[in-house]
Amino acid sequence: MRSLPHVFAIFLLYFAAVCADDPLNPKEQKEKATNQPPCKACSTLVSSFKLGLENTSRGKHAGGDAAWEEEKLRSYKTSEVRLVEIQENLCREVRRGQTQCHNMANDHEHLLEEWFTHKQNEEEDLHKWLCIEQLQVCCPDGHYGAECKKCTDCRGNGKCKGDGTRKGNGKCNCDAGYTGDDCNQCALGFYEAFRDDKKLLCSTCHKSCTKDEGCKGAGPKACAKCNEGWRWDATNGCQDINECLDKPRTCRPNQFCVNNEGSHSCLECDRSCEGCDGDGPDMCKKCAAGYSLKDGKCQVDSLDPHVNEESEATEEEEYTQIEAPHIRDEL
């Protein structure tokens, strides 16, 4: 019977030959050749090995030497046949860092074989045994750095830098909306919605509030300062400015204004209009050349059915939306 190292070496040669005949596009090649941080690389290898365990968990020997091996040496769970089957597909599903995964499997083949053959019953967590205890490239969750020191909890609103790895400084990397050494404060643009001894909840300020000065609570009345497109009202707080009423010449002559919260849009008038107050041929201030007012809307003068069809088709087209800042630049 061939030794396990010999079988594994044959597998690696087979994999290299397959890859040579399977050209990848540049993006896939780059992904495949990417080197990941040590802990991530080890975790990737473990995930692939565990996938192999799952895919072979129902395998059975069927006669010959395989049946003898199962009966006389050890169960299929720790058999050489199963290990070889896992190795044949190891790292195959990995896209990012596949080459690194294969190299790592080759470098630590003896450890994978040791765990598979002798340790998997007593050390079921392969990641813990291989990545944390043997290779020492990872830490348990909630620990960081070379000595796997315990992370702070960041009040549940962040994660310590280096968590689960042998890297990082353990300082809190706060989630969006939180700040402070322990993520125990609300960032600008957020307000304190709830706090007790263990938990802080920060919520987003109303959209009418400026982000640089934030707010003291919920709603437009709690804004420290109103955002552009809003104005302060003593009773209701920051209120939307209707630019369409405040600035009659906001849009170009053959456009009409639509107010939005905090801004506005300029849309093209119907082609039948020469100036308009809204969408459609019934909103024209004056009919364009070639059109006359009929039944309350501007309609084409021509009796040519092709012209009428063209006009009707045009009415169904979507209007081009032009953002207000661009309009102001052109005026």
Side-chain angles (χ1 to χ4, degrees), residues 263-296:
S263 65
H264 68 283
S265 302
C266 292
L267 305 182
E268 297 293 332
C269 293
D270 188 89
R271 67 177 300 175
S272 64
C273 300
E274 187 175 313
C276 64
D277 295 317
D279 186 15
D282 58 334
M283 299 296 290
C284 300
K285 293 180 179 179
K286 180 181 177 182
C287 293
Y291 294 83
S292 299
L293 186 64
K294 300 174 184 177
D295 299 326

Side-chain angles (χ1 to χ4, degrees), residues 63-281:
D65 291 342
W68 178 86
E69 180 181 2
E70 180 173 12
E71 180 179 355
K72 301 297 183 181
L73 297 179
R74 55 180 178 263
S75 69
Y76 175 75
K77 181 179 180 180
T78 57
S79 69
E80 179 180 339
V81 172
R82 187 185 184 195
L83 178 59
V84 171
E85 187 175 348
I86 292 172
Q87 290 171 334
E88 286 177 349
N89 295 286
L90 194 59
C91 303
R92 179 173 293 183
E93 81 289 352
V94 175
R95 291 293 173 263
R96 186 174 180 82
Q98 187 185 71
T99 301
Q100 183 185 28
C101 181
H102 280 289
N103 290 338
M104 196 170 194
N106 187 37
D107 292 342
H108 305 298
E109 172 195 349
H110 63 290
L111 290 175
L112 290 172
E113 181 184 345
E114 180 183 351
W115 179 85
F116 178 84
T117 307
H118 303 295
K119 300 289 186 180
Q120 61 173 305
N121 289 328
E122 56 189 79
E123 298 282 355
E124 293 184 359
D125 190 340
L126 176 58
H127 180 270
K128 176 184 176 183
W129 185 83
L130 180 66
C131 302
I132 298 176
E133 297 176 359
Q134 301 301 313
L135 301 184
Q136 298 184 358
V137 292
C138 296
C139 288
D141 289 341
H143 296 74
Y144 74 95
E147 299 177 2
C148 289
K149 295 180 179 179
K150 186 174 178 59
C151 291
T152 60
D153 63 3
C154 303
R155 295 185 66 89
N157 295 317
K159 191 174 183 180
C160 83
K161 296 178 180 178
D163 187 5
T165 76
R166 299 278 172 157
K167 305 294 184 181
N169 56 17
K171 293 183 178 180
C172 288
N173 187 16
C174 299
D175 297 335
Y178 299 88
T179 188
D181 292 341
D182 296 323
C183 304
N184 60 348
Q185 301 173 35
C186 293
L188 281 174
F190 295 80
Y191 67 92
E192 188 176 299
F194 174 82
R195 180 191 287 270
D196 63 14
D197 294 339
K198 296 182 179 179
K199 183 66 178 176
L200 168 67
L201 177 63
C202 297
S203 297
T204 308
C205 292
H206 191 268
K207 56 187 173 183
S208 63
C209 307
T210 57
K211 291 184 178 180
D212 57 345
E213 297 196 33
C215 62
K216 298 179 180 179
K221 294 181 69 174
C223 296
K225 183 179 179 181
C226 294
N227 227 333
E228 184 178 357
W230 306 77
R231 67 161 61 97
W232 180 257
D233 177 83
T235 303
N236 300 309
C238 293
Q239 298 297 299
D240 172 53
I241 297 173
N242 190 335
E243 292 87 353
C244 299
L245 297 178
D246 281 20
K247 302 176 182 179
R249 295 190 60 189
T250 295
C251 298
R252 291 186 296 192
N254 214 39
Q255 294 178 333
F256 64 95
C257 182
V258 176
N259 186 57
N260 306 315
E261 280 195 324
S263 65
H264 68 283
S265 302
C266 292
L267 305 182
E268 297 293 332
C269 293
D270 188 89
R271 67 177 300 175
S272 64
C273 300
E274 187 175 313
C276 64
D277 295 317
D279 186 15

